[in-house]
Amino acid sequence: MPGIEARTPSDQRERPGQKVASHRYSGKMERLALLSVSDKTGLADFARRLSQCGFDLISTGGTARSLREAGLNVRDVADLTQFPEMLDGRVKTLHPRIHGGLLGRWELPEHQAAMQAHGIAPIAVLVVNLYPFERVAARAGADGVERGELIENIDIGGPAMVRSGAKNYESVAVITDPADYTSVAGELEQQGSVSLATRWRLAQKAFQRTAAYDAAIAATLGSLPPGELNQHVRLAAADLPQRLLISAPRLQVLRYGENPHQQAAVYSDAAQPGGLAHAQLLHGKELSYNNLVDLQAAWDLAAEFELPAVAIIKHTNPAGCATAATQKEAYEQALACDPVSAYGGVVGLNQPLDGPTAEAMAGLFLECIAAPGFSPEALERLQKKKNLRLVQIAPTPSPLSVRSISGGWLAQTADSVQFPAENGWRVVTRLVPTAEQERALRFGWAVAKHVKSNAIVFARATAAGGQTLAVGAGQMSRVDSVKLAAMKAQLPLAGTAVASDAFFPFPDGIEAAATHGATSFIQPGGSIHDTDCIAACDRLGLSMVFTAMRHFRH
C-alpha cells in the first residue's frame, strides 16, 4: 500500500518553535498514518504498533502532544500541508494534501501523476474520533451548557476526513472506534496490511458514525432557540421534529427478541445517557428483550409518585401498585393486589431498595427488580438468588416515544401530564367525593395511565398513600375490563374508587363496577352518553369526576 517517505532525521523533528524543512512526496512505498482523536483511549499503544509496522505518524494538536509524551516520533499536519493550524484550530486538516492523500487512488496512473505533481502523499491509515458533541449535548439536556461550548464541539475536519478515507476504503483503513485498534494492529503485524474485508467493515462503521454525529447535531440544535454564544442553554422539552433523525449505536445484541426465532438488540440514544438502555445490571443473568420491555413499564409507573412506590408488572401491565410511608409497606400492599400474577413479575421502585423490603421480596420468585439504587443489605440478601436480575437505573428526561410501522415510524411526546391546567378536575355528580375518595381517585388515575387500554383500575386510599385492588387491562370493551378486574380481585372492593383511562361509552361499566362495591369514579368524559353515565351515578348515589384528558396506552 502506498505511503510517505521519512525524509527528516528524528533529531530535527517536532521541536517547539523550530521550522522543519518542506517535505514532498517522492513516490516511495513507505506508509503514512494520520491520527487526530478526541478520545485518546488506547491511542499511544496503537500508534506504537503502527510505528513498529513501518508507518510514519502524522498528527494534530493535542493528539500529537499526547503521542510525543508517550515517546513517539510524530510529524505535525502543518509539516505535511505547509500551512499552519489557524483560527484556534478550526482550520488544520481541511487541505488538498490531506484530502488528496485520503481520496487519491494510487492504482490509477492519472491520480498518481497528479499526486506526485502536487506533492500529495497517500495516507494508508486514518485514525479519527470526533469532538465529543454528544457528551456536551447530554449536559445541555441535564444542567445546561454554554452555547459557545456546544458550537465549538461541532467537528468539521474530522467528519470530512472520515468520509474521504471511508470513500476510498480500497486504499485507506479508517478507524473511528478505539475498540478496533487491537484487531487492526494484529492484522498489520501478522499480514503486513489491513485486509479488504476489514477495510470495508471499518468504512461501513465510519459512515454510520458520521451519520449518527450529524443526526445528534441536527437534533440538538433543533431544540435550541437563537441566542448569543455565551448564553447558558438547556435543550427544550421534546417536540415533534420536522425530520425524525434516528441514529443510535448498538449497545448489545440480545439472546433473542420476544420469541426465540426473533433477533433483537439494544441501541443507545447518545443524547440521553441515562435510562434503561444504560442501566447497570448489578446481579443476575443477561436481560432479555421482554425483561427490558417490562422493566421500562415498571420504572415508568413507579416514577409517577413521590411517596415510596412499588409497581409489580406482568407483560407490561400492573399486577399491583402501591404507595406508602415505607417501602416495605408499599411492596406488601402492591403484592396483595394480585399475588398469583406477581409470580415471575418485574418490580419497579422509585427509591433505592432497602433491606427490609428486600427481605420481604426474597420470598417470591421475581424476574427483575429496577430501582435507582440498592442498599448493601438489599444486595447481600438478593444476590443469593442467582436467577434474579437487579437493575440500577439513572433517571432521565422522557424522550420522544417512537415505534415502527411498515414504511415508516410513529413518534409522539411522552404522556407525562396527569391533569391539564384548565378543567383538570370537575365533579359532575350531585355527590362530591370525600377527601379520602379524592386521594384514591388521583392514585387510581395515575396507575390507569400505565395500563393497556381499555384500562380499569379499582383503587383505595391507605393511611399514607394508595393501593390498587384490581386491574382490568387490554379488553375489547370497557365493561369487560370492569368484569375482568372484579373477577381477579383478591381483596374486598367495597368503597373503592374506579379509574378509567378513557370515557365510559355507556352506563353499563359504571353499573357493573357499582355492583362490586365501587363508590366513586374518575374518567375523561366526552362520550355522547355522558349524561346517561352521570344520571346512573346520581341514581346509585355515586360520585364521579371528569378530567377532560384521556390516557390511552396501546
Side-chain angles (χ1 to χ4, degrees):
M1 190 177 294
I4 191 168
E5 178 187 6
R7 285 167 292 277
T8 310
S10 59
D11 62 352
Q12 292 182 6
R13 294 184 186 177
E14 303 300 346
R15 293 182 181 176
Q18 180 182 5
K19 292 185 178 180
V20 183
S22 172
H23 301 294
R24 291 182 60 79
Y25 182 59
S26 66
K28 291 188 178 180
M29 298 297 284
E30 294 178 343
R31 297 186 285 186
L32 178 64
L34 174 57
L35 306 92
S36 180
V37 300
S38 173
D39 178 3
K40 296 176 178 58
T41 303
L43 179 69
D45 180 64
F46 181 51
R48 185 171 288 107
R49 295 172 75 176
L50 288 175
S51 181
Q52 290 168 352
C53 289
F55 282 92
D56 194 5
L57 306 181
I58 307 294
S59 191
T60 61
T63 305
R65 286 193 298 273
S66 176
L67 294 176
R68 289 188 189 110
E69 289 170 0
L72 292 163
N73 285 328
V74 185
R75 291 170 53 200
D76 282 328
V77 162
D79 178 34
L80 185 69
T81 63
Q82 291 298 292
F83 199 89
E85 293 186 17
M86 60 183 298
L87 304 179
D88 298 321
R90 285 188 171 199
V91 177
K92 50 193 173 190
T93 59
L94 298 171
H95 193 280
R97 285 188 177 170
I98 298 298
H99 288 275
L102 292 169
L103 287 165
R105 298 177 58 185
W106 190 252
E107 76 279 9
L108 299 179
E110 61 270 29
H111 281 215
Q112 185 178 139
M115 292 171 73
Q116 287 181 323
H118 296 284
I120 296 174
I123 298 170
V125 172
L126 175 68
V127 185
V128 172
N129 53 63
L130 310 178
Y131 291 173
F133 181 86
E134 293 101 331
R135 190 165 69 236
V136 178
R139 285 168 42 212
D143 301 325
V145 69
E146 291 292 319
R147 182 189 298 271
E149 182 182 359
L150 191 65
I151 297 300
E152 285 304 314
N153 275 279
I154 298 175
D155 202 331
I156 303 301
M161 288 191 293
V162 168
R163 290 175 65 86
S164 291
K167 178 175 180 176
N168 198 22
Y169 72 92
E170 289 190 332
S171 299
V172 183
V174 181
I175 299 99
T176 58
D177 184 352
D180 291 313
Y181 290 167
T182 300
S183 61
V184 171
E187 284 195 26
L188 286 168
E189 291 163 347
Q190 294 169 21
Q191 303 165 191
S193 64
V194 182
S195 69
L196 179 63
T198 297
R199 279 179 272 135
W200 175 238
R201 177 181 64 81
L202 292 172
Q204 291 173 315
K205 194 170 185 177
F207 282 121
Q208 291 166 3
R209 176 66 187 114
T210 57
Y213 195 72
D214 287 340
I217 292 170
T220 301
L221 298 189
S223 298
L224 292 179
E228 300 296 327
L229 284 178
N230 61 359
Q231 180 185 21
H232 191 76
V233 294
R234 292 189 64 174
L235 299 187
D239 292 318
L240 296 178
Q242 285 284 45
R243 181 180 292 271
L244 182 63
L245 302 169
I246 301 176
S247 180
R250 191 174 71 193
L251 290 180
Q252 181 184 2
V253 175
L254 301 174
R255 287 178 295 163
Y256 51 81
E258 287 181 286
N259 300 289
H261 61 275
Q262 294 173 270
Q263 298 181 50
V266 181
Y267 293 82
S268 167
D269 181 354
Q272 298 287 346
L276 183 56
H278 297 272
Q280 281 186 277
L281 180 61
L282 301 181
H283 173 71
K285 59 186 179 181
E286 178 185 343
L287 292 166
S288 72
Y289 181 99
N290 292 335
N291 290 154
L292 289 164
V293 173
D294 283 338
L295 280 165
Q296 188 66 60
W299 176 254
D300 287 344
L301 176 51
E304 285 281 347
F305 306 102
E306 294 183 4
L307 285 171
V310 175
I312 303 174
I313 297 293
K314 199 70 173 287
H315 303 305
T316 72
N317 278 305
C321 181
T323 60
T326 69
Q327 194 176 73
K328 181 173 181 288
E329 289 176 309
Y331 170 69
E332 291 170 342
Q333 291 171 10
L335 179 63
C337 176
D338 190 352
V340 174
S341 297
Y343 181 85
V346 170
V347 177
L349 304 100
N350 64 344
Q351 296 180 8
L353 179 61
D354 59 33
T357 309
E359 185 63 40
M361 289 179 170
L364 177 67
F365 169 62
L366 296 169
E367 286 277 359
C368 314
I369 300 173
F374 292 81
S375 71
E377 297 80 9
L379 286 174
E380 181 181 4
R381 180 64 183 90
L382 295 178
Q383 283 176 338
K384 297 175 183 177
K385 300 171 73 69
K386 66 177 183 178
N387 290 324
L388 173 63
R389 289 94 154 182
L390 304 179
V391 181
Q392 183 168 309
I393 303 180
T396 189
S398 297
L400 284 176
S401 172
V402 179
R403 66 170 65 180
S404 63
I405 58 173
S406 57
W409 290 266
L410 298 173
Q412 63 177 349
T413 57
D415 185 5
S416 58
V417 179
Q418 287 193 15
F419 297 101
E422 298 179 5
N423 279 340
W425 181 276
R426 184 164 63 95
V427 178
V428 295
T429 51
R430 288 195 295 266
L431 191 64
V432 176
T434 65
E436 182 177 346
Q437 286 175 329
E438 181 174 333
R439 284 169 40 220
L441 290 169
R442 290 185 179 275
F443 174 81
W445 183 246
V447 175
K449 186 168 75 170
H450 298 268
V451 179
K452 291 296 180 68
S453 190
N454 289 313
I456 291 291
V457 175
F458 285 79
R460 73 179 182 97
T462 59
Q467 178 187 17
T468 57
L469 301 181
V471 178
Q475 299 306 299
M476 284 64 76
S477 73
R478 197 156 298 276
V479 67
D480 284 345
S481 289
V482 172
K483 293 175 180 178
L484 175 63
M487 180 190 75
K488 290 176 61 64
Q490 302 293 305
L491 299 169
L493 299 182
T496 51
V498 169
S500 175
D501 67 331
F503 62 65
F504 284 98
F506 302 100
D508 55 356
I510 293 170
E511 292 165 346
T515 64
H516 294 285
T519 57
S520 59
F521 294 81
I522 184 169
Q523 61 142 318
S527 167
I528 61 173
H529 296 292
D530 276 351
T531 55
D532 296 336
C533 294
I534 295 168
C537 286
D538 287 338
R539 173 170 49 83
L540 296 171
L542 312 172
S543 62
M544 186 159 61
V545 172
F546 281 2
T547 65
M549 170 182 282
R550 77 178 189 197
H551 285 303
F552 271 161
R553 187 175 183 86
H554 282 67

